Structures are given as C-alpha cells and as structure tokens.
Amino acid sequence: MGAIDSTVLVTVTGPDRPGVTSVLFAALSRHEVSLLDVEQVVIRGRLTLGVLVSCPGDPESLQEVLEDAMHTVGMSVDIEIGAHQGRPAVSTHAVVVLGSPISARALQSIARALAVLGANIDTIRGVADYPLTGLELMVSAPAGGEESDRRLRTALAEVSVAENVDIAVERGGLARRAKRLIVFDVDSTLVQGEVIEMLAARAGVEDEVREVTESAMRGEIDFTESLHKRVATLAGLDASVIDDVADGLALTPGARTTIRTLRRLGYHCGVVSGGFRQVIEGLAHELELDFVQANTLEIVDGKLTGRVVGDIVDRAAKATALRKFAAQVGVPMEQTVAVGDGANDIDMLNAAGLGVAFNAKPALREVADTALSHPFLDAVLFVLGVTRDEVEAADAVDGGIRRVPLQ
C-alpha cells in the first residue's frame, strides 16, 4: 500500500502585487501537488492567499521551496501540515450586518451570540462601504429547521438593538440567490413621506389626516376605516392637485439604484400601495415597474369627491396582490421579497419568501424576517447579497438598461 498523501495549508501574506500567484503556483507545481481549495482576499492592498493541497512527497521539502520562492516577491508564507478533513459544508445562513459605523464591539457581540448557539462563522466579507458599512457573515448553525432559525434571529435581534446595527438573517445556499420578484410599499418606503398627507396639506387638513395615518400605521385602527376617514377630508379638492403632488414626490435615497440593479439581475419589480394609483402611476412608469396595485380616487367634474372607487387595497389585499403578481410571472412565493414600513404591510411581508421591514413601526418589525433602520433603500440589495462594488461596476457600463444618474 502506498503512502498516504499529506495535506498542506499554505497561507501567503503581504503587499498585493502582480506575479505573486504565478510564483506560488510555479513552486507548487514542482512538487506535483493536487489542489483541494483556494481562497484569496485583498484588504487595503494587503493580500492573504490560502491554498490547501494534497502533497505526495515530503511536505518539509515543500516548505523550504515555498519560503524561498515567496521571498523573491517580498511575501511571507506559513505552512500547516495536517490530515485533510474534506471541504466544508455549505453555510446554512447568511448574516448581513449594516451600520454607520460597525464597531468592533458589535462584531464581537455577534460572534459571541453565534458561539453560544453553537454556530460557526465560515467566512466574512465586506459588501458595502457606502452609504453604510456592510459585512456579510456566512454561518454554519446546528440543524434544527425553523426553530433553529428562530433562535438565531432572536439572539441577533437582541444584539442589533444593543449595538445599534441592523442584522439580517437569511437561509444560505441556492435559496438565497433564487429570489426573482420584489414588491415595495410606496409611502415612506419607495418614496419619502405619505402621499395622502401631501394631498391633505393642499386641502388644509394635514394635521387631522396625519393623526389618523399614524394611528393606522401603528395598527390601532382598521386601515379601511382610516382610509375612508382621510379621503373624506379631501372632498372638493381640485383634481389638478394630484399632478402637483405626483411631480413633487421624492424617492427614498437609494430607491432608483435599488430597482435598476434588481432589474439587471432579472427581478420582476412592482409596488403595492394603500395610496393612490393616480399619484404613483407616473413614477411607476419612470422606474419601469412591472406591477402597480393601489387605490383609486373618485373624481367628478374635475374635483375629488372624498371617496375611493373599486376594491380597497388594505392589509389583506396587499398580500393577495403579491400572490397574484407571483402567479402571473410564474415565481413561487418562496422566491418573492416584500418591503414595507407599516402595520398595513404585515400580511404581505408574512406571505413573501423574505419580508423586509424598512424604518418600520414596531407592529411590522415584530413579524418581519429582517428590519432595516437606516434611511437608504439600497440596503435591501446588501441583504440580498449584492455588493456596493457590483452595483457601481454595473453602473459603469450600460448593461442594456437606460442609464439614470444615481439617486
């Protein structure tokens, strides 16, 4: 029986420069090793390159060759000889940490919480440095299905509050990259502010409407009842005000970038709003959205009547709309994402494969899969595993989609 090959982990560190990888693998090739794994990272111009090999000869002589070779390019090399345990299993979860900034103490608290649960951090990479700092931790957690997920989310939610960072937890593997449809709430999610309050300001009843809106968003009163109360205050308002309000809509920072990037990735994008179709249709057309579901204001003789016509888009209707959109494009519900901010979005976020609470009221944060508390909608991209570098690289070329300035 022949000798068992030794497994050798080679770690090269030093200033990143052309030729390092070539010199390393030239030295390895002289010993006829077989590659088992390779990983490389560059941070601020410093290279760390790890190569796991199966060595048929004397690993001690390999060490001498590698040290001499890497010295010629000014790199340090560390050799670890040991039995090969096989490739690591695919990480069970992706944990995305977002903050401005992320402190070392926050990462320590996250690592400690994971360790208590018996979860291991497999890899860490940076996904964003603007407008937030973002880190993605790929984690292997003990088996346990939904109960394991719940414990992981609960523990990290406590860290999130204590350390003032957002922490999103998703199942890893193919499921994370299989999302294909996303819907956004409009008011205070895709756009800044509440459209009905903008209309109410024109009618001189803004304070009255805002009070009802906030009560509904907190889940204290039924949405349909609150909608009728608020719309009734607009009776007699000239319909031209709708266009004025639509023209003045301000997108949430990062919204345009988010939708443009998702469309490049092949997502179907839409909005489901308890607001008004006449106000948001122009914006939906500009963003080239695939779906729009919203309430319709009744207009008679150029005036708002104070009523809505057709089916009301309430909490239950939002979830129904998401299911309808998914069925239309043949996307399973587990491959959908919903983003919202109020109690009216609870059913929609529960129905989606991933529910994201964006600067949300407590009633929604409690049921969402993940909660984001910073005012940048492109944080959704980081949660989905898209990096800032990838976004900017795509924006540097046309990508087949009309170029729009970053917003």
Side-chain angles (χ1 to χ4, degrees):
M1 181 180 295
I4 298 175
D5 290 355
S6 299
T7 298
V8 179
L9 175 61
V10 181
T11 305
V12 174
T13 57
D16 187 31
R17 63 187 63 178
V20 172
T21 304
S22 174
V23 170
L24 172 62
F25 282 93
L28 289 171
S29 67
R30 292 198 290 274
H31 277 256
E32 299 182 348
V33 302
S34 299
L35 295 178
L36 300 175
D37 200 2
V38 180
E39 189 161 344
Q40 174 176 311
V41 63
V42 178
I43 301 178
R44 298 292 186 184
R46 296 286 299 182
L47 169 70
T48 299
L49 171 59
V51 182
L52 184 67
V53 301
S54 176
C55 180
D58 177 15
E60 299 293 342
S61 63
L62 174 62
Q63 180 169 356
E64 294 177 7
V65 169
L66 291 176
E67 288 176 346
D68 290 343
M70 300 320 297
H71 178 73
T72 66
V73 287
M75 305 296 283
S76 300
V77 62
D78 180 73
I79 308 294
E80 181 181 339
I81 302 171
H84 177 42
Q85 301 297 320
R87 289 185 63 85
V90 174
S91 302
T92 60
H93 295 81
V95 176
V96 177
V97 186
L98 300 169
S100 182
I102 299 174
S103 67
R105 188 181 71 179
L107 199 59
Q108 175 198 12
S109 298
I110 292 167
R112 183 170 57 241
L114 291 171
V116 168
L117 293 173
N120 184 65
I121 300 174
D122 302 324
T123 62
I124 303 176
R125 67 165 181 164
V127 294
D129 58 5
Y130 172 83
L132 301 167
T133 299
L135 299 175
E136 178 187 78
L137 286 62
M138 298 308 298
V139 172
S140 294
E146 292 183 2
E147 179 59 24
S148 175
D149 291 356
R150 185 193 64 78
R151 290 196 300 269
L152 190 59
R153 286 194 171 95
T154 299
L156 293 179
E158 293 174 358
V159 175
S160 173
V161 172
E163 301 296 342
N164 194 32
V165 292
D166 290 340
I167 305 177
V169 180
E170 266 199 276
R171 272 277 166 182
L174 290 176
R176 186 183 184 214
R177 299 196 297 273
K179 303 293 190 299
R180 285 294 173 264
L181 183 149
I182 186 166
V183 296
F184 297 89
D185 176 41
V186 176
D187 293 3
S188 298
T189 300
L190 189 66
V191 304
Q192 300 176 56
E194 299 287 323
V195 166
I196 195 165
E197 292 178 8
M198 300 174 197
L199 292 169
R202 304 301 181 94
V205 292
E206 185 177 12
D207 291 342
E208 177 183 345
V209 166
R210 181 182 294 113
E211 182 179 342
V212 178
T213 298
E214 291 177 352
S215 181
M217 294 294 281
R218 292 191 298 266
E220 296 171 352
I221 62 174
D222 174 75
F223 175 81
T224 300
E225 177 187 356
S226 73
L227 179 68
H228 287 308
K229 283 184 176 180
R230 290 176 291 172
V231 172
T233 66
L234 305 179
L237 196 61
D238 195 284
S240 63
V241 170
I242 292 175
D243 292 334
D244 293 340
V245 169
D247 291 341
L249 290 178
L251 285 168
T252 297
R256 198 181 299 277
T257 298
T258 300
I259 291 177
R260 182 172 66 251
T261 302
L262 291 171
R263 290 186 59 247
R264 284 173 173 159
L265 290 170
Y267 275 70
H268 301 279
C269 303
V271 291
V272 181
S273 175
F276 309 110
R277 176 178 289 271
Q278 293 103 318
V279 177
I280 64 176
E281 272 188 332
L283 180 62
H285 178 74
E286 177 187 344
L287 296 175
E288 302 181 59
L289 299 179
D290 301 298
F291 314 104
V292 178
Q293 187 83 15
N295 293 303
T296 302
L297 292 165
E298 184 181 59
I299 300 172
V300 176
D301 296 330
K303 303 287 186 180
L304 274 64
T305 66
R307 295 186 294 271
V308 292
V309 294
D311 295 334
I312 298 297
V313 180
D314 58 8
R315 173 172 160 172
K318 284 193 167 190
T320 299
L322 173 61
R323 294 188 180 96
K324 180 183 72 174
F325 295 159
Q328 286 177 2
V329 294
V331 172
M333 287 300 293
E334 59 267 23
Q335 295 180 3
T336 65
V337 182
V339 185
D341 74 304
N344 196 36
D345 299 309
I346 289 176
D347 290 4
M348 181 173 73
L349 266 64
N350 277 334
L354 175 65
V356 179
F358 181 73
N359 290 299
K361 308 301 184 293
L364 186 63
R365 294 178 67 92
E366 290 173 4
V367 303
D369 295 310
T370 189
L372 302 175
S373 60
H374 293 86
F376 308 106
L377 198 61
D378 38 359
V380 173
L381 295 175
F382 310 144
V383 170
L384 294 173
V386 181
T387 71
R388 169 59 62 185
D389 286 346
E390 289 169 334
V391 172
E392 293 181 352
D395 284 330
V397 296
D398 193 347
I401 293 179
R402 177 172 53 89
R403 296 293 301 278
V404 182
L406 289 176
Q407 179 171 332

